[in-house]
């Protein structure tokens, strides 16, 4: 067996190599275990739509909203950021992963919200829809922030103004880093809005279609001019014939059959499928011009209603639909089927077949 003899010089060399190895290991250990330098961009200050400065996370991953118009806005701009619904949409027209989101309620006429529930969901921010009188809304926002504690509350404006949707869409796109999606939505919205409003502007007042918005299973509730719920009638060139009191908030003013007979609308927009199914044979309605001329239309509802309830950006597709229903000749060149398909691809994140579109438009 060979014997290795280590001289004094060799021993010293080995010791020095060992010391170097220890130092290198210590250096490596320091490199791998030292904490990373905290990012200086973990939060950012924004100005919300009522001028409040709010500090929010730089990367917003989860959002809850206090009312349906804001919830739909978040879903349409950035569906993966939405943490829950105020009420469940029509799940047949929503991708499964979003249909499975929890229903958390909210504060929108129906007081179904619970602060403990919202807080327990740990959203990065909460969106408060700013849709009412300035003073009242600011008080509401202050109350929401107090109740939500450290969760930032961001105010969004004009989510129920059918001629002002561009601003909240763009604001939400900037807030959530989805600027490209937001601009595509705005281009679609402003395109249909411009076409409709420019064409109907030249219709003389005495030639405008007289419209009744029939709500409820018997059609004996409605919303007059000035209500956010009936806004698309005038926007699309019609005359809202409901001469009745305006019910604030949730709307739906009750009216009598005698009133409707005296108004005698040219067109009826039916919000309830039960009413639409019976109006053709109900003897009380047979002398109404809209029924005699077969101009009663069931308002489409896919993921959300196209005309109202809620009166949010879901109504964007309702603008061309309402216009073509009221003035089929004036909008004869409008490709409504194509618009419906494009809207659902872009806003609802679902593709509809041609057969589905025909079923929706021809109930």
């Amino acid at each position: 067996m060979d014997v290795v003899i280590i001289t004094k010089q060799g021993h010293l060399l080995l010791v020095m190599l060992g010391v170097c190895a220890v130092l290198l290991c210590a250096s490596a250990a320091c490199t791998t275990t030292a904490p990373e330098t905290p990012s200086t961009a973990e939060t950012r200050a924004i100005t919300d739509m009522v001028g409040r400065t709010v500090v929010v996370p730089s990367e917003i991953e989860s959002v809850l909203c206090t009312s349906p118009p804001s919830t739909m806005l978040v879903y349409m701009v950035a569906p993966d950021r939405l943490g829950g619904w105020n009420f469940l949409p029509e799940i047949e027209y929503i991708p499964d992963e979003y249909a499975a989101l929890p229903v958390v309620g909210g504060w929108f006429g129906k007081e179904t919200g619970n602060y403990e529930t919202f807080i327990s969901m740990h959203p990065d921010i909460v969106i408060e829809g700013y849709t009412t009188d300035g003073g009242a809304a600011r008080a509401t926002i202050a109350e929401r922030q107090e109740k939500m504690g450290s969760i930032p509350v961001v105010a969004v404006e004009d989510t129920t103004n059918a001629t002002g949707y561009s601003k909240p869409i763009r604001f939400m796109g900037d807030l959530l880093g989805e600027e490209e999606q937001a601009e595509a939505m705005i281009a679609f919205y402003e395109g249909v809005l411009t076409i409709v409003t420019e064409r109907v502007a030249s219709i003389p007042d005495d030639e405008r279609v007289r419209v009744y918005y029939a709500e409820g299973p018997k059609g004996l509730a409605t919303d007059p001019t000035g209500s956010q719920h009936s806004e698309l009638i005038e926007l699309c060139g019609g005359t809202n014939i409901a001469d009745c009191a305006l019910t604030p908030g949730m709307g739906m003013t009750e009216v009598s059959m005698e009133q409707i007979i005296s108004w005698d609308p040219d067109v009826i927009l039916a919000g309830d499928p039960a009413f639409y199914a019976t109006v053709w044979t109900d003897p009380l309605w047979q002398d109404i011009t809209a029924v005699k001329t077969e101009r009663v239309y069931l308002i489409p509802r896919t993921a959300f209603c196209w005309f109202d309830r809620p009166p949010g950006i879901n109504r964007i597709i309702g603008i061309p639909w309402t216009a073509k229903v009221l003035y089929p000749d004036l909008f004869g060149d409008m490709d409504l089927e194509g618009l419906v398909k494009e809207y659902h691809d872009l806003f609802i994140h679902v593709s509809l077949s041609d057969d589905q579109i025909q079923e929706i438009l021809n109930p």
Side-chain angles (χ1 to χ4, degrees):
M1 184 175 70
D2 295 334
V3 177
V4 178
I5 299 174
I6 301 175
T7 64
K8 182 181 295 185
Q9 291 84 357
H11 183 269
L12 180 60
L13 179 61
L14 287 174
V15 170
M16 292 177 67
L17 289 172
V19 170
C20 290
V22 170
L23 291 173
L24 286 170
C25 289
S27 174
C30 289
T31 301
T32 56
T33 61
E36 294 181 3
T37 303
S39 171
T40 59
E42 292 178 353
T43 61
R44 58 190 168 116
I46 65 159
T47 301
D48 70 12
M49 293 190 74
V50 296
R52 299 162 59 249
T53 299
V54 185
V55 177
V56 302
S58 294
E59 298 294 330
I60 297 172
E61 302 295 338
S62 177
V63 183
L64 290 178
C65 306
T66 61
S67 63
S70 302
T71 294
M72 290 185 301
L73 176 60
V74 172
Y75 171 73
M76 293 176 180
V77 172
D80 292 335
R81 317 293 178 85
L82 185 65
W85 302 103
N86 305 119
F87 61 80
L88 197 63
E90 300 292 331
I91 60 174
E92 177 185 355
Y93 299 99
I94 291 285
D96 291 344
E97 62 267 36
Y98 308 125
L101 291 173
V103 175
V104 298
W107 295 266
F108 49 94
K110 295 180 179 179
E111 300 295 315
T112 59
N114 180 282
Y115 288 106
E116 287 74 19
T117 299
F118 269 58
I119 293 169
S120 71
M121 298 285 292
H122 304 293
D124 290 325
I125 62 171
V126 168
I127 299 292
E128 169 65 26
Y130 178 77
T131 61
T132 58
D133 164 70
R138 289 178 183 276
T140 299
I141 294 165
E143 178 185 357
R144 295 274 187 265
Q145 186 61 80
E146 180 183 359
K147 298 287 189 180
M148 294 295 177
S150 61
I151 301 171
V153 174
V154 178
V156 177
E157 193 173 23
D158 277 346
T159 54
T160 61
N161 176 5
T163 60
Y165 289 146
S166 293
K167 286 183 178 179
I169 293 172
R170 183 169 286 119
F171 175 84
M172 193 60 67
D174 292 344
L175 178 65
L176 300 181
E178 296 289 348
E179 294 88 351
E180 185 175 344
Q181 168 70 8
E183 292 305 319
M185 290 168 60
I186 290 169
F188 180 95
Y189 161 61
E190 292 184 350
V192 296
L193 182 67
T194 298
I195 290 172
V196 168
T197 55
E198 286 184 353
R199 290 193 187 183
V200 301
S202 60
I203 302 173
D205 289 345
D206 60 353
E207 295 181 15
R208 291 180 178 253
V209 175
R210 302 169 67 256
V211 184
Y212 175 67
Y213 174 27
E215 301 182 82
K218 295 184 178 181
L220 296 178
T222 193
D223 285 285
T225 297
S227 170
Q228 61 186 6
H229 298 288
S230 61
E231 190 177 8
L232 294 196
I233 294 175
E234 286 91 355
L235 187 149
C236 296
T239 297
N240 188 341
I241 52 84
D243 182 12
C244 59
L246 190 156
T247 301
M250 294 293 287
M252 282 200 188
T253 300
E254 292 185 6
V255 297
S256 68
M257 195 69 229
E258 290 74 20
Q259 287 175 293
I260 298 169
I261 291 171
S262 69
W263 298 333
D264 193 25
D266 303 316
V267 167
I268 295 174
L269 303 180
D272 194 303
F275 168 72
Y276 180 75
T278 60
V279 68
W280 306 107
T281 56
D282 188 332
L284 295 175
W285 292 84
Q286 297 314 296
D287 291 331
I288 302 294
T289 296
V291 178
K292 290 191 293 185
T293 58
E294 299 185 352
R295 297 200 69 187
V296 182
Y297 304 94
L298 179 62
I299 295 167
R301 175 181 293 274
T302 46
F304 314 104
C305 183
W306 292 12
F307 185 84
D308 185 26
R309 309 209 176 277
I313 66 171
N314 50 301
R315 297 191 297 179
I316 288 174
I317 190 57
I319 294 172
W321 177 82
T322 303
K324 192 152 188 172
V325 161
L326 299 189
Y327 300 103
D329 294 335
L330 184 60
F331 293 96
D333 62 338
M334 176 183 283
D335 179 12
L336 185 57
E337 290 83 358
L339 290 173
V340 170
K341 185 171 184 61
E342 183 181 353
Y343 166 82
H344 283 81
D345 285 338
L346 180 59
F347 288 73
I348 310 299
H349 313 290
V350 66
S351 294
L352 298 182
S353 68
D354 292 342
D355 288 343
Q356 283 179 303
I357 294 172
Q358 288 305 315
E359 289 174 7
I360 293 164
L361 296 177
N362 302 282

